[in-house]
Amino acid sequence: MKFGKDFVRQMIPEWQQAYIDYACLKSILQEIQTSRKRSERPGVLKRKLSGSRNFSGLTKRYSRTASSREPEIEDIMVYATTGDDGFERYETTILEVAEAGRESELAFFKTLDLEFDKVNHFYRSKVEEMVKEAVVLNKQMDALIAFRIKVEQPSSSWSCSETVSVDINALDSTEQRKTLGEEMGIIVEGNGSNGGDSTKDSVPEVLSVLERIRLNKTQETPLSTIKNVLKLSNQEELKFTRENLKKIEERLKNVFIEFYRKLRHLKNYSFLNTLAISKIMKKYDKIASRSAAKPYMEMVDKSYLTGSDEINKLMLRVESTFVEHFAGLNRSKGMNLLRPKVKKEKHRITFSTGFFVGCTVSLVVALVMFIHARNIMGADGHKLYMETMFPLYSLFAFVVLHMIMYASNIYFWKRYRVNYPFIFGFKEGTELGYRHVLLLSFGLGTLALCAVLINLDMEMDPNTNDYKTMTELLPIFILALVVAILFCPFNIFYRSSRVFFLMVVFRCIAAPLYKVNLPDFFLADQLTSQVQALRSLEFYICYYGWGDFRHRQNTCRSSDVYSTFYFIVAVIPYWSRFLQCVRRLIEENDSSQGYNALKYLLTVVAVCLRTAYSLNRGNIWKIAAWVFSALATFYGTYWDIVFDWGLLHRPSKHLLREKLLVPNKAVYYVAIVLNIVLRMAWLQTVLDFNFKFLHRETMVALLAALEIIRRGIWNFFRLENEHLNNVGKFRAFKSVPLPFNYDEEEDRDS
């Protein structure tokens, strides 16, 4: 793999603009090479021009004089100036420049200097942020150690004003560790409960920190939300129990893991940019026949980007602290937590996915041939089958289609470097790849298609006609198996992903009682496209709960209870999104969330009216359904394209967006058109287009499938827009809540 591609592949996506623009520099080198080749033609006059530039405020100079060189080889000088902001800036001068490629060479070094200044400035600012975070972590560890002492010696009546005896052997194990910690601002003391020969001393200041801290509410609960609304006291009391100690240690462990991850990214950032400069300078020397790489790299080595050692020191200190306090002195365990292994693609996943894809395709072909061979479409029980068994099996078709669309989303997110694990907040190394999702989807599809074929075969075969009850139970068996796997407590079938999914589903159900994060409203939006699947679940309860499966009859639609819940089930996803928007409107004071809430409220009304029209008919219902469906559709389409996708902004070129991840702009125009057309699927429910060759349930399933496809297209561009927002703000890390909060007086004193 060429370095340019590998360089882009290893970038932190959100920091992409902060890296050396290697492609731009390489293109300038190509211009230099073209100019030199052109000058080598016979009859072209060659002369040298001075490329020197005058500078003020010089503080450093890096140069190299060659003892022997060819006439075309010139020396360079690199000057360092210090600006008003305290950051160094570098400028390069070519002492003599040949006429061939003169402008390109000057442009190359000017661009290189600007790029290096950008990288150096960005790196230094991030290191300063890390040092500040290290000071905060130091205070958190002070509080943790005091908390441990208080918990592990509960028999003593501790008072911050008294003189206490504690084990301080680990607090200052070596002078070297103490000095390093003080230098970097992350002095982490040892655990006072460690055994061995300890030195007893009077350290009242160790426990005095407990008077100035309180526990942060890092996990919001419905009860805490209700207390906030009622303006009741919601402060967590500082109880010195082992349960609280365990929670605090877990929170602080996650903080250290995320902090170490930031340090690793910064170290990799420094290494990659230094390597890129080295590579581009070697290319320049080769093309321009100069010896400029060595003096320039000497300057780079002495710059803050390469010469500073703060990150390495912080990494060593964090490793030592983490192993000692959070890994039981087991370095191997601690380093595995700090540096989780990269999940490698296993061949059996690819093989299994291909196997189930083949099975699904074969079963679909077999099903079509089976229906044609036995003329099932013209059989007497065809309509009854479509009203009973088809809605049961269509549930799995909706789920499989949605998973396939999600797998395709993952594939294209990875291809265009959308950092979806960070956006969704997946734990590092636990996110599913597109092969894993395809494996699950086609595995479920194979299972459902097998059940359909078995059902039809047993029903059509006279020898197995007595087992009708068993054939009717096949769909509920598959559904029970899926639910059992979803709630399985064992570490199989991607447990971390299942737990994450269930937690987000619960937060969607209890929408107004939890702070709304991106995974919450993203999943709620997915559920709005699965209304028909939710209605299929309602039909499962009715069909099997009321015993219709014993006689294969559908008495659900004649029930008022079923009709009532037919409305409620369709409204639940949109109502959940409405409540999420209201919560964000109140918390964030963002007026756009109010307009978004209005969009979902209009959709709720439109869905109810369309459902009422499909059940009752009548011109009044039809007109009302028309009006509100039109309003909801136009409003939703506008919001999708302008706000969710960030397109059709006038200042941008081609009415799209200033930054686009997909190079082909036609993709965006096609997506816009498809979104508009697929949103018009409601027209069929209002106009009642009559297709004699299609059963009503088939038409409903097709419209539901079109909505799922529209949602899959929406997913890609929604996350692309979110990713570009993160890139614009260089937001590459999630904020992990700290367990302790110091009082305001302590913060001011600090």
Side-chain angles (χ1 to χ4, degrees), residues 392-499:
L392 299 176
Y393 285 114
S394 62
L395 169 66
F396 304 110
F398 299 145
V399 174
V400 169
L401 178 60
H402 210 133
M403 293 176 71
I404 292 174
M405 294 302 298
Y406 179 66
S408 64
N409 290 148
I410 294 175
Y411 173 80
F412 286 108
W413 286 333
K414 282 190 173 182
R415 180 176 177 179
Y416 294 106
R417 295 181 55 76
V418 175
N419 194 359
Y420 74 94
F422 168 70
I423 294 174
F424 287 136
F426 294 142
K427 187 178 179 182
E428 189 176 5
T430 62
E431 69 276 5
L432 297 181
Y434 71 94
R435 289 187 180 90
H436 303 91
V437 180
L438 286 177
L439 173 62
L440 294 174
S441 60
F442 283 106
L444 177 60
T446 300
L447 188 63
L449 285 170
C450 285
V452 172
L453 281 170
I454 293 172
N455 188 313
L456 289 175
D457 185 65
M458 292 181 70
E459 185 171 322
M460 298 297 292
D461 191 346
N463 296 326
T464 57
N465 201 28
D466 294 336
Y467 299 96
K468 279 188 176 181
T469 303
M470 183 63 67
T471 60
E472 298 290 315
L473 290 174
L474 283 176
I476 195 68
F477 287 156
I478 300 176
L479 182 62
L481 178 62
V482 172
V483 172
I485 293 175
L486 187 62
F487 288 92
C488 178
F490 303 110
N491 192 15
I492 55 175
F493 295 111
Y494 312 112
R495 184 180 65 176
S496 59
S497 298
R498 289 188 286 109
V499 171

Side-chain angles (χ1 to χ4, degrees), residues 499-710:
V499 171
F500 182 86
F501 174 76
L502 291 174
M503 288 177 61
V504 177
V505 168
F506 178 75
R507 292 169 65 91
C508 289
I509 295 173
L513 301 179
Y514 284 96
K515 181 179 176 63
V516 182
N517 299 315
L518 188 140
D520 303 331
F521 67 75
F522 188 86
L523 180 60
D525 277 324
Q526 307 306 305
L527 294 177
T528 60
S529 298
Q530 286 286 7
V531 169
Q532 200 55 42
L534 296 177
R535 283 174 168 172
S536 295
L537 285 175
E538 180 194 3
F539 184 70
Y540 266 89
I541 297 173
C542 173
Y543 190 69
Y544 290 102
W546 294 352
D548 286 351
F549 72 97
R550 293 189 179 91
H551 309 286
R552 183 174 284 187
Q553 59 183 4
N554 186 357
T555 60
C556 298
R557 292 188 179 276
S558 60
S559 170
D560 293 336
V561 175
Y562 180 84
S563 299
T564 302
F565 277 95
Y566 200 71
F567 281 86
I568 296 174
V569 167
V571 165
I572 287 176
Y574 298 102
W575 184 251
S576 176
R577 277 298 284 126
F578 170 76
L579 293 177
Q580 288 177 343
C581 293
V582 172
R583 171 73 186 249
R584 294 185 67 184
L585 173 65
I586 296 172
E587 280 191 344
E588 303 171 11
N589 197 21
D590 185 2
S591 59
S592 64
Q593 293 302 322
Y595 296 120
N596 201 15
L598 179 61
K599 179 190 75 173
Y600 288 104
L601 188 60
L602 277 174
T603 308
V604 167
V605 176
V607 168
C608 289
L609 290 174
R610 294 206 304 266
T611 305
Y613 173 68
S614 65
L615 295 177
N616 301 318
R617 303 299 174 178
N619 290 330
I620 296 177
W621 291 114
K622 185 175 183 177
I623 295 172
W626 252 105
V627 173
F628 281 94
S629 295
L631 287 174
T633 299
F634 294 141
Y635 199 162
T637 303
Y638 176 79
W639 195 274
D640 285 346
I641 298 171
V642 177
F643 289 92
D644 290 340
W645 294 359
L647 302 176
L648 299 184
H649 290 288
R650 287 188 177 182
S652 61
K653 297 179 180 179
H654 309 288
L655 290 177
L656 292 177
R657 199 191 302 127
E658 289 296 331
K659 296 177 183 177
L660 302 172
L661 295 183
V662 182
N664 190 354
K665 297 180 179 62
V667 172
Y668 294 91
Y669 295 116
V670 171
I672 291 173
V673 173
L674 283 176
N675 187 75
I676 295 172
V677 171
L678 294 177
R679 268 197 176 271
M680 296 296 179
W682 58 269
L683 280 171
Q684 198 281 331
T685 60
V686 180
L687 297 178
D688 257 348
F689 293 128
N690 189 14
F691 299 97
K692 295 182 179 180
F693 58 92
L694 287 179
H695 191 273
R696 178 182 176 278
E697 292 294 335
T698 306
M699 179 59 71
V700 170
L702 288 176
L703 294 176
L706 291 176
E707 170 59 21
I708 293 171
I709 293 172
R710 187 198 67 83

